[in-house]
Amino acid sequence: MSSDIRSVPIRSDIILTLIGGSSNLGRSASYQPGRQLPKQTQDEVYDRGYQLLYKTCALSGPVPNFGLPGPVPGSSQVIDVSDQTSSLLQTATHNLNTSLTSNYAKLQATLLQLGTFAYFTASIDRSVVIPLLALVRDTSGNVGDNFKTVLEGINVTQDYINNTLPGELKKLELLINHYVSDRLEDGFGCVRSGLNRLSASVTSLQSAIMAAVKEAETVSLPVNTLRRYVSLTAVHDIARAVNAVRICIPSIIESINSTIERLKTADGCEPTTSVHAEFRFPQHIGTNALTLP
């Protein structure tokens, strides 16, 4: 038996059923059901069948990097820095289990307000970083959907920073003066800048991948096509953007945690005690202003 599958005669009705009887090839070929196709037409049908099978397998198989079946250079760096950022963001709420015994309403109100910032910081992991990790490790074969999820998460986070956060910072400033709110504003401004970079780099990579897929007509990109459209720099830009977000987080968490520690210290002070520090409640309690150490 010949090892070349092309040497096996094929029946027109079977192969045209497999590739779709309404195809242009089927309509243009002169055939009768049950009869063998001419050799030239057989070759054309086999080529069409191979292409169809190749595309079908490419779409259904595992696609570990940005929706593509082959590895994308630089994707491991994106995973590494995203994992580090995710772990860091998850620590943002660790100190919120503080219980204050003070009857001073503004101590409790300040703790609750700090919780607002801590929970929002932690939410960046769920809205941006986790979807990005899912994108890099994508196995769906759908190049578009996971990119869309990441970009939507970035937009939601940016919207909160731009439109909701200023009001929340103002509430905090009314409780403990402006020093803590100023530091948090700087920290979240840093996050906003990093997210701007991330949005631009993710959008750029998506455009490059979609252009490559369009040319190749398959998500299983030839190496040369992948290299021509998807540069290592483009992937590293995403890793650098995630890192630009990551480096902002420690200052935010430190501002929240250090202020909580000052609240706990103030909670243990007598009402008439005045402790000198940069963080101070603007109201008077009794005859003395309560200041946080």
Side-chain angles (χ1 to χ4, degrees), residues 7-56:
S7 65
V8 180
I10 58 174
R11 286 173 48 183
S12 59
D13 54 334
I14 295 176
I15 193 64
L16 290 173
T17 298
L18 289 174
I19 68 171
S22 62
S23 67
N24 291 332
L25 179 61
R27 288 195 298 268
S28 62
S30 297
Y31 73 95
Q32 295 178 6
R35 297 187 62 182
Q36 181 178 330
L37 288 170
K39 185 178 185 308
Q40 181 179 356
T41 306
Q42 286 188 40
D43 290 341
E44 294 175 2
V45 170
Y46 275 123
D47 289 339
R48 178 74 64 83
Y50 286 144
Q51 292 174 15
L52 180 64
L53 180 62
Y54 186 71
K55 292 179 181 179
T56 301

Side-chain angles (χ1 to χ4, degrees), residues 186-198:
D186 289 343
F188 287 117
C190 176
V191 171
R192 177 173 52 217
S193 177
L195 290 176
N196 285 338
R197 291 180 58 182
L198 183 60

Side-chain angles (χ1 to χ4, degrees), residues 17-274:
T17 298
L18 289 174
I19 68 171
S22 62
S23 67
N24 291 332
L25 179 61
R27 288 195 298 268
S28 62
S30 297
Y31 73 95
Q32 295 178 6
R35 297 187 62 182
Q36 181 178 330
L37 288 170
K39 185 178 185 308
Q40 181 179 356
T41 306
Q42 286 188 40
D43 290 341
E44 294 175 2
V45 170
Y46 275 123
D47 289 339
R48 178 74 64 83
Y50 286 144
Q51 292 174 15
L52 180 64
L53 180 62
Y54 186 71
K55 292 179 181 179
T56 301
C57 291
L59 290 172
S60 62
V63 280
N65 290 322
F66 299 103
L68 299 176
V72 176
S75 59
S76 61
Q77 284 86 343
V78 178
I79 291 174
D80 289 344
V81 70
S82 297
D83 279 335
Q84 295 169 15
T85 305
S86 179
S87 297
L88 181 59
L89 287 167
Q90 291 172 26
T91 68
T93 59
H94 283 184
N95 283 359
L96 291 183
N97 58 349
T98 298
S99 296
L100 300 180
T101 60
S102 173
N103 291 323
Y104 303 133
K106 287 199 174 183
L107 284 180
Q108 299 287 353
T110 302
L111 181 62
L112 291 174
Q113 193 63 21
L114 290 171
T116 298
F117 303 117
Y119 284 119
F120 169 66
T121 302
S123 76
I124 298 173
D125 184 38
R126 298 186 298 274
S127 61
V128 177
V129 183
I130 290 177
L132 179 61
L133 283 167
L135 168 62
V136 183
R137 296 166 171 157
D138 179 26
T139 59
S140 69
N142 188 332
V143 177
D145 283 352
N146 279 337
F147 275 99
K148 180 180 178 181
T149 301
V150 173
L151 292 171
E152 286 177 347
I154 293 173
N155 289 337
V156 168
T157 305
Q158 292 282 54
D159 181 70
Y160 185 93
I161 293 175
N162 292 329
N163 299 313
T164 303
L165 187 67
E168 298 298 335
L169 289 171
K170 186 63 178 179
K171 292 178 184 177
L172 183 65
E173 181 180 341
L174 294 174
L175 291 168
I176 55 173
N177 216 315
H178 64 88
Y179 299 106
V180 179
S181 60
D182 285 351
R183 291 170 62 188
L184 289 173
E185 183 178 12
D186 289 343
F188 287 117
C190 176
V191 171
R192 177 173 52 217
S193 177
L195 290 176
N196 285 338
R197 291 180 58 182
L198 183 60
S199 179
S201 59
V202 169
T203 300
S204 177
L205 182 64
Q206 181 186 24
S207 298
I209 290 178
M210 295 301 289
V213 170
K214 181 178 180 180
E215 177 181 303
E217 297 184 343
T218 175
V219 294
S220 186
L221 298 177
V223 174
N224 290 338
T225 303
L226 179 65
R227 288 176 178 173
R228 188 164 67 253
Y229 282 93
V230 183
S231 67
L232 182 61
T233 298
V235 180
H236 280 175
D237 281 346
I238 293 181
R240 283 189 283 265
V242 175
N243 192 58
V245 174
R246 183 184 65 84
I247 62 176
C248 309
I249 305 304
S251 68
I252 294 174
I253 295 177
E254 192 279 331
S255 295
I256 293 171
N257 290 345
S258 62
T259 306
I260 289 176
E261 290 303 312
R262 288 171 171 82
L263 289 176
K264 291 165 65 176
T265 301
D267 185 39
C269 293
E270 293 295 329
T272 57
T273 300
S274 178

